[in-house]
Amino acid sequence: MQSIFGTDGIRGRFNEEITYSLAYKVGYALGSTLENKNPILIGRDTRISGDILLQAITQGINESGKKFINLGICPTPAIPFLIKQENLSSGIMISASHNPPEYNGIKIFDHNGQKINKYFENKIQKLIEELNQNIEAPTKVIPQNTNKDLIDVYINSLIQTMGGENLSGLKIILDTCYGSATTCAKQIFQSLGADVRVINNSKNGLKINMNCGSTNLEPLKKALRENPADMGFSFDGDADRVIGIDSKGHVLDGDHILFLWGKELMEQKNLTNNLLISTQMANLGFEKAWNKIGGILYRTDVGDKYVHDAIKEKRAVLGGEQSGHILSKINNFSGDGILTALQISKYCKKKNINLNDWLKSSFKPYPQTLSNINLDFNIKKLNPKTKILIDQTIENFQALYSDNCRVFIRPSGTEPLIRVLVEAKNYEEVNSLSSEITNKLFLEINKIIN
């Protein structure tokens, strides 16, 4: 059996890769693995399939002899925070993050609020393989009681990270993308005194991430044009990522957030070894500008768990991904889009600078394009020999073009795609090379498969 775990937990299309039976087994295996008898915390995003997967997981946990607390719809970072705060045994978030509505996923956290390591994943996988019977889904979903007090604990913790600062005088637009941020983002910003307008703010699992949120910034840009504001923030489905937009429509992605936030920490002498942690996707312009002011950028594989591991290993205090997944010391390195948006807003208020001017002091990005090669097969389910051939082909392409540009190619950890990043000094070169590489690679992969 291939590993069911990808770059961020278990992910796939509901009723295909993510089934009731699998979710039950995950709940049972997690409960059976834990020595700690304290409850397991469970949350979910707004996806329609969340209810049935919640029932499956809780059924499995009950039959393992363990107890659970249902947080209901919540941001993913609420789970790790509350595990630590309430001394719980572990946690599960039912979410497919930035993926479309037909996807869902299961993210598992340990008793420290950290995403489980490979050893823990293997233990759960082994137990799942031993449970070889298929568990049938019930005809009716039974509603689960939710603990609403705990979400207030999480909300208050975010407000406290502001250290008594407020956001009065700032006009901010939020795109909660019909997902987890709908539960609390507006309330938090308003309680801090900001003048807040929110778009896509209903808990609609059929619309989550659809033409909105951190993967599609057009609705937020349109809202800023029609109702001018100081800045806007766009979250993904489970609110662990955020992308900002300034008053002129310029994008504040994860690279810019790391550069600007990192520079503030550097000036305060609070940035260990002037070190930032990011991934292979980070813009070369970011790296060069950061090096120029005396900083060090350490790159990892793509995935927040790799960033987290490097942060711990290097004793860094800030890291993240271009996609807007930012890990900071403030909340024990749990990616939290709302927390990140609050920190950016706080710096603008304290520095008495608008985001547009602050962003001008950031780096100039190298032209970069990210293309997807759609696959009609699951790359994780290929036989080892075929997978090795595809990996070798990808390596050959990266080496072949490395003299002219920076090329980074990787299979997606969550969707049937191969992602091709091309970066060069001008847009014409980037677009030409990107088109050439994706077309040739698509043909080569099809030759291998067929």
Side-chain angles (χ1 to χ4, degrees):
M1 180 178 175
Q2 292 282 339
S3 175
I4 57 173
F5 290 93
T7 52
D8 193 9
I10 303 164
R11 191 80 60 89
R13 289 182 180 86
F14 176 62
N15 266 343
E16 291 183 27
E17 295 89 1
I18 303 289
T19 62
Y20 186 93
S21 185
L22 175 62
Y24 166 88
K25 291 173 185 178
V26 169
Y28 183 87
L30 177 61
S32 303
T33 303
L34 297 172
E35 295 176 8
N36 188 325
K37 292 185 179 178
N38 293 344
I40 298 166
L41 184 65
I42 307 176
R44 68 180 186 90
D45 67 21
T46 59
R47 288 164 212 275
I48 301 299
S49 57
D51 268 337
I52 190 75
L53 292 175
L54 174 68
Q55 181 161 321
I57 289 167
T58 54
Q59 184 188 345
I61 290 170
N62 283 335
E63 293 187 20
S64 77
K66 297 294 192 305
K67 294 180 179 177
F68 68 90
I69 296 170
N70 176 28
L71 197 57
I73 296 171
C74 65
T76 286
I79 300 291
F81 171 78
L82 291 167
I83 289 170
K84 288 279 284 182
Q85 182 77 12
E86 304 296 318
N87 192 30
L88 301 172
S89 66
S90 68
I92 285 177
M93 180 68 182
I94 303 166
S95 173
S97 193
H98 60 286
N99 293 145
E102 64 270 21
Y103 282 79
N104 217 323
I106 302 170
K107 303 180 183 184
I108 307 174
F109 300 84
D110 66 18
H111 68 285
N112 289 314
Q114 309 292 348
K115 286 178 181 171
I116 59 171
N117 58 29
K118 197 70 186 170
Y119 173 75
F120 204 151
E121 287 180 355
N122 290 340
K123 279 179 77 173
I124 289 174
Q125 173 119 7
K126 188 170 185 295
L127 275 169
I128 288 171
E129 287 172 5
E130 289 168 1
L131 295 166
N132 55 18
Q133 79 272 32
N134 187 54
I135 311 297
E136 292 291 332
T139 53
K140 187 178 178 183
V141 178
I142 302 166
Q144 304 276 0
N145 291 328
T146 58
N147 187 317
K148 292 177 181 171
D149 293 337
L150 285 180
I151 198 73
D152 288 336
V153 173
Y154 165 70
I155 289 169
N156 289 331
S157 77
L158 287 176
I159 292 168
Q160 286 164 17
T161 65
M162 297 291 283
E165 301 282 341
N166 67 54
L167 302 177
S168 62
L170 287 182
K171 193 172 182 182
I172 299 171
I173 301 178
L174 306 175
D175 180 355
T176 55
C177 87
Y178 304 105
S180 291
T182 58
T183 58
C184 60
K186 181 180 181 181
Q187 175 187 341
I188 291 166
F189 277 84
Q190 281 185 334
S191 71
L192 288 163
D195 178 357
V196 184
R197 179 169 176 253
V198 190
I199 61 173
N200 305 322
N201 197 40
S202 61
K203 298 178 183 67
N204 191 332
L206 293 172
K207 290 186 176 181
I208 187 170
N209 297 317
M210 293 297 285
N211 302 314
C212 60
S214 64
T215 55
N216 189 326
L217 301 172
E218 289 311 311
L220 182 57
K221 288 180 177 179
K222 183 172 183 281
L224 280 159
R225 285 194 302 270
E226 293 174 353
N227 296 275
D230 296 296
M231 65 193 82
F233 295 102
S234 202
F235 304 99
D236 71 335
D238 65 339
D240 61 358
R241 299 182 185 193
V242 67
I243 300 290
I245 304 285
D246 72 12
S247 57
K248 305 293 185 185
H250 302 122
V251 176
L252 177 88
D253 66 10
D255 288 349
H256 285 297
I257 291 169
L258 287 176
F259 184 88
L260 293 171
W261 190 350
K263 195 176 175 187
E264 293 298 317
L265 294 177
M266 183 190 280
E267 289 170 1
Q268 297 163 15
K269 310 291 185 194
N270 287 331
L271 193 66
T272 309
N273 299 324
N274 293 339
L275 175 67
L276 293 176
I277 309 294
S278 193
T279 74
Q280 298 293 348
M281 306 295 281
N283 193 283
L284 195 57
F286 166 29
E287 183 172 18
K288 287 182 179 294
W290 185 245
N291 292 161
K292 193 173 181 180
I293 61 171
I296 300 166
L297 182 70
Y298 181 84
R299 292 179 185 263
T300 72
D301 287 338
V302 175
D304 71 286
K305 67 180 178 182
Y306 300 113
V307 173
H308 182 271
D309 289 347
I311 284 172
K312 290 294 188 187
E313 181 191 333
K314 307 284 182 184
R315 297 184 179 178
V317 299
L318 186 65
E321 300 183 274
Q322 189 184 72
S323 61
H325 202 137
I326 307 297
L327 313 184
S328 82
K329 190 179 180 182
I330 293 173
N331 67 342
N332 197 29
F333 305 107
S334 171
D336 191 325
I338 298 172
L339 171 64
T340 300
L342 288 173
Q343 294 303 306
I344 295 299
S345 304
K346 180 179 82 171
Y347 277 122
C348 286
K349 177 82 186 288
K350 281 183 76 172
K351 291 163 70 70
N352 194 25
I353 188 172
N354 63 51
L355 183 57
N356 177 247
D357 286 337
W358 196 24
L359 190 52
K360 285 176 185 173
S361 73
S362 188
F363 65 91
K364 185 178 180 183
Y366 274 41
Q368 191 181 69
T369 184
L370 182 63
S371 304
N372 294 325
I373 298 174
N374 292 297
L375 307 175
D376 56 6
F377 57 87
N378 186 335
I379 203 161
K380 288 198 289 186
K381 292 182 179 178
L382 294 176
N383 67 62
K385 188 177 177 182
T386 304
K387 193 171 182 309
I388 287 168
L389 283 172
I390 289 175
D391 288 344
Q392 286 173 345
T393 303
I394 287 172
E395 285 174 21
N396 292 340
F397 268 79
Q398 287 184 156
L400 181 65
Y401 287 92
S402 62
D403 288 344
N404 302 317
C405 60
R406 191 172 80 89
V407 180
F408 180 65
I409 305 169
R410 69 178 184 95
S412 167
T414 60
E415 297 176 80
L417 303 169
I418 288 180
R419 304 196 189 278
V420 180
L421 174 78
V422 179
E423 195 171 55
K425 287 184 178 178
N426 63 70
Y427 282 104
E428 292 78 13
E429 190 177 4
V430 162
N431 291 331
S432 171
L433 285 168
S434 177
S435 178
E436 182 180 331
I437 291 168
T438 51
N439 288 336
K440 287 183 177 178
L441 185 56
F442 175 77
L443 293 173
E444 288 298 319
I445 287 171
N446 275 306
K447 278 184 196 173
I448 293 167
I449 295 298
N450 299 321

